[in-house]
Every structure is written in C-alpha cells, then in structure tokens.
PDB file of all heavy atoms in Angstrom:
ATOM      1  N   PRO J 105      -5.891   8.830 -14.356  1.00 89.00           N
ATOM      2  CA  PRO J 105      -6.629  10.083 -14.173  1.00 89.00           C
ATOM      3  C   PRO J 105      -6.806  10.424 -12.696  1.00 89.00           C
ATOM      4  O   PRO J 105      -7.221   9.578 -11.895  1.00 89.00           O
ATOM      5  CB  PRO J 105      -7.970   9.809 -14.849  1.00 89.00           C
ATOM      6  CG  PRO J 105      -7.669   8.763 -15.868  1.00 89.00           C
ATOM      7  CD  PRO J 105      -6.619   7.893 -15.241  1.00 89.00           C
ATOM      8  N   GLY J 106      -6.476  11.658 -12.337  1.00 92.00           N
ATOM      9  CA  GLY J 106      -6.643  12.122 -10.978  1.00 92.00           C
ATOM     10  C   GLY J 106      -5.619  11.618  -9.989  1.00 92.00           C
ATOM     11  O   GLY J 106      -5.768  11.867  -8.786  1.00 92.00           O
ATOM     12  N   GLN J 107      -4.594  10.921 -10.452  1.00 95.00           N
ATOM     13  CA  GLN J 107      -3.584  10.363  -9.565  1.00 95.00           C
ATOM     14  C   GLN J 107      -2.198  10.861  -9.932  1.00 95.00           C
ATOM     15  O   GLN J 107      -1.965  11.349 -11.038  1.00 95.00           O
ATOM     16  CB  GLN J 107      -3.614   8.832  -9.605  1.00 95.00           C
ATOM     17  CG  GLN J 107      -4.933   8.225  -9.175  1.00 95.00           C
ATOM     18  CD  GLN J 107      -4.888   6.709  -9.123  1.00 95.00           C
ATOM     19  OE1 GLN J 107      -3.812   6.109  -9.210  1.00 95.00           O
ATOM     20  NE2 GLN J 107      -6.036   6.088  -8.981  1.00 95.00           N
ATOM     21  N   GLN J 108      -1.280  10.737  -8.985  1.00 96.00           N
ATOM     22  CA  GLN J 108       0.100  11.113  -9.224  1.00 96.00           C
ATOM     23  C   GLN J 108       0.796  10.081 -10.102  1.00 96.00           C
ATOM     24  O   GLN J 108       0.383   8.920 -10.176  1.00 96.00           O
ATOM     25  CB  GLN J 108       0.850  11.266  -7.904  1.00 96.00           C
ATOM     26  CG  GLN J 108       0.383  12.415  -7.037  1.00 96.00           C
ATOM     27  CD  GLN J 108       1.217  12.560  -5.786  1.00 96.00           C
ATOM     28  OE1 GLN J 108       1.785  11.591  -5.280  1.00 96.00           O
ATOM     29  NE2 GLN J 108       1.303  13.782  -5.274  1.00 96.00           N
ATOM     30  N   ARG J 109       1.851  10.515 -10.761  1.00 97.00           N
ATOM     31  CA  ARG J 109       2.649   9.614 -11.560  1.00 97.00           C
ATOM     32  C   ARG J 109       3.314   8.572 -10.665  1.00 97.00           C
ATOM     33  O   ARG J 109       3.830   8.899  -9.591  1.00 97.00           O
ATOM     34  CB  ARG J 109       3.703  10.389 -12.342  1.00 97.00           C
ATOM     35  CG  ARG J 109       4.483   9.540 -13.337  1.00 97.00           C
ATOM     36  CD  ARG J 109       5.404  10.409 -14.168  1.00 97.00           C
ATOM     37  NE  ARG J 109       6.403  11.065 -13.357  1.00 97.00           N
ATOM     38  CZ  ARG J 109       7.148  12.088 -13.762  1.00 97.00           C
ATOM     39  NH1 ARG J 109       6.977  12.587 -14.981  1.00 97.00           N
ATOM     40  NH2 ARG J 109       8.050  12.618 -12.943  1.00 97.00           N
ATOM     41  N   GLU J 110       3.303   7.335 -11.103  1.00 97.00           N
ATOM     42  CA  GLU J 110       3.799   6.208 -10.331  1.00 97.00           C
ATOM     43  C   GLU J 110       4.908   5.498 -11.088  1.00 97.00           C
ATOM     44  O   GLU J 110       4.766   5.210 -12.281  1.00 97.00           O
ATOM     45  CB  GLU J 110       2.650   5.227 -10.051  1.00 97.00           C
ATOM     46  CG  GLU J 110       3.053   3.945  -9.352  1.00 97.00           C
ATOM     47  CD  GLU J 110       1.930   2.921  -9.310  1.00 97.00           C
ATOM     48  OE1 GLU J 110       1.016   3.001 -10.159  1.00 97.00           O
ATOM     49  OE2 GLU J 110       1.954   2.044  -8.427  1.00 97.00           O
ATOM     50  N   TRP J 111       5.987   5.213 -10.412  1.00 98.00           N
ATOM     51  CA  TRP J 111       7.032   4.386 -10.975  1.00 98.00           C
ATOM     52  C   TRP J 111       6.565   2.936 -11.069  1.00 98.00           C
ATOM     53  O   TRP J 111       6.009   2.394 -10.112  1.00 98.00           O
ATOM     54  CB  TRP J 111       8.299   4.479 -10.119  1.00 98.00           C
ATOM     55  CG  TRP J 111       9.367   3.515 -10.498  1.00 98.00           C
ATOM     56  CD1 TRP J 111      10.186   3.562 -11.584  1.00 98.00           C
ATOM     57  CD2 TRP J 111       9.740   2.338  -9.776  1.00 98.00           C
ATOM     58  NE1 TRP J 111      11.055   2.491 -11.585  1.00 98.00           N
ATOM     59  CE2 TRP J 111      10.802   1.727 -10.481  1.00 98.00           C
ATOM     60  CE3 TRP J 111       9.289   1.746  -8.591  1.00 98.00           C
ATOM     61  CZ2 TRP J 111      11.419   0.554 -10.058  1.00 98.00           C
ATOM     62  CZ3 TRP J 111       9.904   0.580  -8.156  1.00 98.00           C
ATOM     63  CH2 TRP J 111      10.951   0.001  -8.887  1.00 98.00           C
ATOM     64  N   VAL J 112       6.789   2.309 -12.217  1.00 98.00           N
ATOM     65  CA  VAL J 112       6.333   0.950 -12.462  1.00 98.00           C
ATOM     66  C   VAL J 112       7.478  -0.052 -12.359  1.00 98.00           C
ATOM     67  O   VAL J 112       7.366  -1.082 -11.687  1.00 98.00           O
ATOM     68  CB  VAL J 112       5.662   0.835 -13.843  1.00 98.00           C
ATOM     69  CG1 VAL J 112       5.288  -0.612 -14.158  1.00 98.00           C
ATOM     70  CG2 VAL J 112       4.427   1.730 -13.907  1.00 98.00           C
ATOM     71  N   GLY J 113       8.576   0.220 -13.052  1.00 98.00           N
ATOM     72  CA  GLY J 113       9.697  -0.695 -13.046  1.00 98.00           C
ATOM     73  C   GLY J 113      10.868  -0.126 -13.800  1.00 98.00           C
ATOM     74  O   GLY J 113      10.730   0.828 -14.569  1.00 98.00           O
ATOM     75  N   SER J 114      12.043  -0.721 -13.580  1.00 97.00           N
ATOM     76  CA  SER J 114      13.272  -0.269 -14.212  1.00 97.00           C
ATOM     77  C   SER J 114      14.129  -1.454 -14.593  1.00 97.00           C
ATOM     78  O   SER J 114      14.043  -2.523 -13.979  1.00 97.00           O
ATOM     79  CB  SER J 114      14.080   0.644 -13.280  1.00 97.00           C
ATOM     80  OG  SER J 114      13.341   1.770 -12.866  1.00 97.00           O
ATOM     81  N   ILE J 115      14.951  -1.242 -15.592  1.00 97.00           N
ATOM     82  CA  ILE J 115      15.989  -2.194 -15.952  1.00 97.00           C
ATOM     83  C   ILE J 115      17.247  -1.396 -16.229  1.00 97.00           C
ATOM     84  O   ILE J 115      17.230  -0.408 -16.964  1.00 97.00           O
ATOM     85  CB  ILE J 115      15.566  -3.078 -17.143  1.00 97.00           C
ATOM     86  CG1 ILE J 115      16.647  -4.114 -17.454  1.00 97.00           C
ATOM     87  CG2 ILE J 115      15.219  -2.247 -18.362  1.00 97.00           C
ATOM     88  CD1 ILE J 115      16.152  -5.214 -18.392  1.00 97.00           C
ATOM     89  N   ILE J 116      18.349  -1.811 -15.617  1.00 94.00           N
ATOM     90  CA  ILE J 116      19.594  -1.067 -15.725  1.00 94.00           C
ATOM     91  C   ILE J 116      20.545  -1.785 -16.669  1.00 94.00           C
ATOM     92  O   ILE J 116      20.303  -2.914 -17.099  1.00 94.00           O
ATOM     93  CB  ILE J 116      20.254  -0.857 -14.352  1.00 94.00           C
ATOM     94  CG1 ILE J 116      20.688  -2.197 -13.745  1.00 94.00           C
ATOM     95  CG2 ILE J 116      19.299  -0.129 -13.412  1.00 94.00           C
ATOM     96  CD1 ILE J 116      21.483  -2.040 -12.462  1.00 94.00           C
ATOM     97  N   ILE J 117      21.620  -1.100 -16.995  1.00 90.00           N
ATOM     98  CA  ILE J 117      22.637  -1.709 -17.837  1.00 90.00           C
ATOM     99  C   ILE J 117      23.148  -2.971 -17.148  1.00 90.00           C
ATOM    100  O   ILE J 117      23.397  -2.996 -15.946  1.00 90.00           O
ATOM    101  CB  ILE J 117      23.772  -0.706 -18.128  1.00 90.00           C
ATOM    102  CG1 ILE J 117      24.687  -1.214 -19.233  1.00 90.00           C
ATOM    103  CG2 ILE J 117      24.558  -0.376 -16.863  1.00 90.00           C
ATOM    104  CD1 ILE J 117      25.624  -0.141 -19.762  1.00 90.00           C
ATOM    105  N   GLY J 118      23.228  -4.053 -17.909  1.00 88.00           N
ATOM    106  CA  GLY J 118      23.538  -5.347 -17.341  1.00 88.00           C
ATOM    107  C   GLY J 118      22.328  -6.229 -17.143  1.00 88.00           C
ATOM    108  O   GLY J 118      22.476  -7.448 -16.980  1.00 88.00           O
ATOM    109  N   GLY J 119      21.129  -5.640 -17.129  1.00 92.00           N
ATOM    110  CA  GLY J 119      19.909  -6.416 -17.144  1.00 92.00           C
ATOM    111  C   GLY J 119      19.161  -6.571 -15.837  1.00 92.00           C
ATOM    112  O   GLY J 119      18.079  -7.165 -15.822  1.00 92.00           O
ATOM    113  N   ASN J 120      19.687  -6.061 -14.718  1.00 96.00           N
ATOM    114  CA  ASN J 120      18.974  -6.182 -13.450  1.00 96.00           C
ATOM    115  C   ASN J 120      17.693  -5.359 -13.480  1.00 96.00           C
ATOM    116  O   ASN J 120      17.664  -4.249 -14.015  1.00 96.00           O
ATOM    117  CB  ASN J 120      19.848  -5.734 -12.289  1.00 96.00           C
ATOM    118  CG  ASN J 120      20.953  -6.716 -11.991  1.00 96.00           C
ATOM    119  OD1 ASN J 120      20.893  -7.878 -12.396  1.00 96.00           O
ATOM    120  ND2 ASN J 120      21.968  -6.262 -11.277  1.00 96.00           N
ATOM    121  N   THR J 121      16.638  -5.890 -12.876  1.00 97.00           N
ATOM    122  CA  THR J 121      15.328  -5.257 -12.900  1.00 97.00           C
ATOM    123  C   THR J 121      14.808  -5.002 -11.500  1.00 97.00           C
ATOM    124  O   THR J 121      15.181  -5.683 -10.538  1.00 97.00           O
ATOM    125  CB  THR J 121      14.304  -6.117 -13.652  1.00 97.00           C
ATOM    126  OG1 THR J 121      14.225  -7.414 -13.044  1.00 97.00           O
ATOM    127  CG2 THR J 121      14.700  -6.272 -15.110  1.00 97.00           C
ATOM    128  N   ASN J 122      13.917  -4.005 -11.396  1.00 97.00           N
ATOM    129  CA  ASN J 122      13.199  -3.693 -10.168  1.00 97.00           C
ATOM    130  C   ASN J 122      11.782  -3.304 -10.538  1.00 97.00           C
ATOM    131  O   ASN J 122      11.553  -2.711 -11.597  1.00 97.00           O
ATOM    132  CB  ASN J 122      13.863  -2.559  -9.390  1.00 97.00           C
ATOM    133  CG  ASN J 122      15.197  -2.950  -8.808  1.00 97.00           C
ATOM    134  OD1 ASN J 122      15.266  -3.640  -7.803  1.00 97.00           O
ATOM    135  ND2 ASN J 122      16.277  -2.518  -9.456  1.00 97.00           N
ATOM    136  N   TYR J 123      10.827  -3.612  -9.646  1.00 98.00           N
ATOM    137  CA  TYR J 123       9.417  -3.375  -9.931  1.00 98.00           C
ATOM    138  C   TYR J 123       8.705  -2.816  -8.718  1.00 98.00           C
ATOM    139  O   TYR J 123       9.058  -3.099  -7.573  1.00 98.00           O
ATOM    140  CB  TYR J 123       8.715  -4.671 -10.347  1.00 98.00           C
ATOM    141  CG  TYR J 123       9.315  -5.333 -11.556  1.00 98.00           C
ATOM    142  CD1 TYR J 123      10.255  -6.346 -11.410  1.00 98.00           C
ATOM    143  CD2 TYR J 123       8.949  -4.942 -12.831  1.00 98.00           C
ATOM    144  CE1 TYR J 123      10.814  -6.955 -12.515  1.00 98.00           C
ATOM    145  CE2 TYR J 123       9.506  -5.546 -13.941  1.00 98.00           C
ATOM    146  CZ  TYR J 123      10.438  -6.553 -13.779  1.00 98.00           C
ATOM    147  OH  TYR J 123      10.988  -7.154 -14.882  1.00 98.00           O
ATOM    148  N   ALA J 124       7.657  -2.035  -8.997  1.00 98.00           N
ATOM    149  CA  ALA J 124       6.750  -1.629  -7.942  1.00 98.00           C
ATOM    150  C   ALA J 124       5.994  -2.843  -7.426  1.00 98.00           C
ATOM    151  O   ALA J 124       5.712  -3.789  -8.171  1.00 98.00           O
ATOM    152  CB  ALA J 124       5.775  -0.575  -8.458  1.00 98.00           C
ATOM    153  N   ASN J 125       5.654  -2.814  -6.143  1.00 98.00           N
ATOM    154  CA  ASN J 125       4.940  -3.945  -5.555  1.00 98.00           C
ATOM    155  C   ASN J 125       3.615  -4.229  -6.268  1.00 98.00           C
ATOM    156  O   ASN J 125       3.187  -5.387  -6.351  1.00 98.00           O
ATOM    157  CB  ASN J 125       4.687  -3.702  -4.073  1.00 98.00           C
ATOM    158  CG  ASN J 125       5.948  -3.802  -3.248  1.00 98.00           C
ATOM    159  OD1 ASN J 125       6.894  -4.493  -3.614  1.00 98.00           O
ATOM    160  ND2 ASN J 125       5.968  -3.110  -2.117  1.00 98.00           N
ATOM    161  N   SER J 126       2.983  -3.200  -6.797  1.00 97.00           N
ATOM    162  CA  SER J 126       1.688  -3.361  -7.421  1.00 97.00           C
ATOM    163  C   SER J 126       1.734  -4.179  -8.709  1.00 97.00           C
ATOM    164  O   SER J 126       0.695  -4.674  -9.155  1.00 97.00           O
ATOM    165  CB  SER J 126       1.063  -1.991  -7.708  1.00 97.00           C
ATOM    166  OG  SER J 126       1.898  -1.217  -8.547  1.00 97.00           O
ATOM    167  N   VAL J 127       2.922  -4.331  -9.309  1.00 98.00           N
ATOM    168  CA  VAL J 127       3.028  -5.046 -10.577  1.00 98.00           C
ATOM    169  C   VAL J 127       3.953  -6.249 -10.509  1.00 98.00           C
ATOM    170  O   VAL J 127       4.069  -6.978 -11.512  1.00 98.00           O
ATOM    171  CB  VAL J 127       3.479  -4.113 -11.715  1.00 98.00           C
ATOM    172  CG1 VAL J 127       2.560  -2.903 -11.817  1.00 98.00           C
ATOM    173  CG2 VAL J 127       4.930  -3.684 -11.532  1.00 98.00           C
ATOM    174  N   LYS J 128       4.595  -6.493  -9.377  1.00 98.00           N
ATOM    175  CA  LYS J 128       5.499  -7.629  -9.263  1.00 98.00           C
ATOM    176  C   LYS J 128       4.772  -8.935  -9.563  1.00 98.00           C
ATOM    177  O   LYS J 128       3.661  -9.166  -9.102  1.00 98.00           O
ATOM    178  CB  LYS J 128       6.101  -7.691  -7.859  1.00 98.00           C
ATOM    179  CG  LYS J 128       7.224  -6.708  -7.608  1.00 98.00           C
ATOM    180  CD  LYS J 128       7.799  -6.893  -6.212  1.00 98.00           C
ATOM    181  CE  LYS J 128       8.949  -5.932  -5.967  1.00 98.00           C
ATOM    182  NZ  LYS J 128       9.486  -6.064  -4.590  1.00 98.00           N
ATOM    183  N   GLY J 129       5.422  -9.766 -10.351  1.00 97.00           N
ATOM    184  CA  GLY J 129       4.841 -11.038 -10.733  1.00 97.00           C
ATOM    185  C   GLY J 129       3.947 -10.974 -11.945  1.00 97.00           C
ATOM    186  O   GLY J 129       3.574 -12.025 -12.480  1.00 97.00           O
ATOM    187  N   ARG J 130       3.581  -9.772 -12.376  1.00 98.00           N
ATOM    188  CA  ARG J 130       2.707  -9.605 -13.533  1.00 98.00           C
ATOM    189  C   ARG J 130       3.392  -8.895 -14.695  1.00 98.00           C
ATOM    190  O   ARG J 130       3.119  -9.208 -15.858  1.00 98.00           O
ATOM    191  CB  ARG J 130       1.446  -8.831 -13.147  1.00 98.00           C
ATOM    192  CG  ARG J 130       0.607  -9.504 -12.069  1.00 98.00           C
ATOM    193  CD  ARG J 130      -0.727  -8.797 -11.873  1.00 98.00           C
ATOM    194  NE  ARG J 130      -0.561  -7.419 -11.428  1.00 98.00           N
ATOM    195  CZ  ARG J 130      -0.968  -6.354 -12.110  1.00 98.00           C
ATOM    196  NH1 ARG J 130      -1.589  -6.499 -13.283  1.00 98.00           N
ATOM    197  NH2 ARG J 130      -0.786  -5.134 -11.624  1.00 98.00           N
ATOM    198  N   PHE J 131       4.253  -7.925 -14.397  1.00 98.00           N
ATOM    199  CA  PHE J 131       4.941  -7.143 -15.424  1.00 98.00           C
ATOM    200  C   PHE J 131       6.404  -7.553 -15.484  1.00 98.00           C
ATOM    201  O   PHE J 131       7.016  -7.875 -14.453  1.00 98.00           O
ATOM    202  CB  PHE J 131       4.873  -5.648 -15.121  1.00 98.00           C
ATOM    203  CG  PHE J 131       3.505  -5.026 -15.258  1.00 98.00           C
ATOM    204  CD1 PHE J 131       2.363  -5.796 -15.427  1.00 98.00           C
ATOM    205  CD2 PHE J 131       3.375  -3.645 -15.215  1.00 98.00           C
ATOM    206  CE1 PHE J 131       1.111  -5.220 -15.544  1.00 98.00           C
ATOM    207  CE2 PHE J 131       2.130  -3.051 -15.332  1.00 98.00           C
ATOM    208  CZ  PHE J 131       1.000  -3.834 -15.496  1.00 98.00           C
ATOM    209  N   THR J 132       6.992  -7.486 -16.683  1.00 98.00           N
ATOM    210  CA  THR J 132       8.385  -7.847 -16.873  1.00 98.00           C
ATOM    211  C   THR J 132       9.061  -6.846 -17.801  1.00 98.00           C
ATOM    212  O   THR J 132       8.578  -6.597 -18.904  1.00 98.00           O
ATOM    213  CB  THR J 132       8.534  -9.256 -17.465  1.00 98.00           C
ATOM    214  OG1 THR J 132       7.891 -10.210 -16.614  1.00 98.00           O
ATOM    215  CG2 THR J 132      10.010  -9.620 -17.592  1.00 98.00           C
ATOM    216  N   ASN J 133      10.173  -6.279 -17.347  1.00 97.00           N
ATOM    217  CA  ASN J 133      11.010  -5.416 -18.177  1.00 97.00           C
ATOM    218  C   ASN J 133      12.066  -6.240 -18.895  1.00 97.00           C
ATOM    219  O   ASN J 133      12.629  -7.184 -18.327  1.00 97.00           O
ATOM    220  CB  ASN J 133      11.721  -4.366 -17.326  1.00 97.00           C
ATOM    221  CG  ASN J 133      10.884  -3.150 -17.034  1.00 97.00           C
ATOM    222  OD1 ASN J 133      10.282  -2.567 -17.935  1.00 97.00           O
ATOM    223  ND2 ASN J 133      10.847  -2.748 -15.769  1.00 97.00           N
ATOM    224  N   SER J 134      12.339  -5.864 -20.127  1.00 95.00           N
ATOM    225  CA  SER J 134      13.463  -6.426 -20.853  1.00 95.00           C
ATOM    226  C   SER J 134      14.020  -5.354 -21.771  1.00 95.00           C
ATOM    227  O   SER J 134      13.347  -4.366 -22.067  1.00 95.00           O
ATOM    228  CB  SER J 134      13.063  -7.677 -21.641  1.00 95.00           C
ATOM    229  OG  SER J 134      12.085  -7.367 -22.618  1.00 95.00           O
ATOM    230  N   ARG J 135      15.252  -5.541 -22.220  1.00 93.00           N
ATOM    231  CA  ARG J 135      15.860  -4.546 -23.090  1.00 93.00           C
ATOM    232  C   ARG J 135      16.658  -5.212 -24.187  1.00 93.00           C
ATOM    233  O   ARG J 135      17.245  -6.281 -24.009  1.00 93.00           O
ATOM    234  CB  ARG J 135      16.739  -3.564 -22.295  1.00 93.00           C
ATOM    235  CG  ARG J 135      17.898  -4.183 -21.535  1.00 93.00           C
ATOM    236  CD  ARG J 135      18.550  -3.157 -20.596  1.00 93.00           C
ATOM    237  NE  ARG J 135      19.295  -2.133 -21.321  1.00 93.00           N
ATOM    238  CZ  ARG J 135      19.819  -1.043 -20.757  1.00 93.00           C
ATOM    239  NH1 ARG J 135      19.649  -0.820 -19.454  1.00 93.00           N
ATOM    240  NH2 ARG J 135      20.492  -0.168 -21.482  1.00 93.00           N
ATOM    241  N   ASP J 136      16.659  -4.563 -25.336  1.00 93.00           N
ATOM    242  CA  ASP J 136      17.445  -4.952 -26.484  1.00 93.00           C
ATOM    243  C   ASP J 136      18.480  -3.857 -26.667  1.00 93.00           C
ATOM    244  O   ASP J 136      18.206  -2.817 -27.267  1.00 93.00           O
ATOM    245  CB  ASP J 136      16.559  -5.104 -27.719  1.00 93.00           C
ATOM    246  CG  ASP J 136      17.333  -5.486 -28.956  1.00 93.00           C
ATOM    247  OD1 ASP J 136      18.572  -5.576 -28.911  1.00 93.00           O
ATOM    248  OD2 ASP J 136      16.676  -5.704 -30.007  1.00 93.00           O
TER     249      ASP J 136
END
C-alpha cells in the first residue's frame, strides 16, 4: 500500500534465477 510495484525475482528457461536484494536468501523461485 502506498508504494510502487517492486520486482521480487525471476526464473528463466533453463532454471537460472535472480532476486531482489531485499529477498535474497529468504525467497526461492522454482518452475515446473
């Protein structure tokens, strides 16, 4: 609320992941 939309993390084809610094080490992306 009251804040801009923030990118959290991504996972690309092949499985490589990237995360925002605010969630690194706490959040994990995976894909089926």
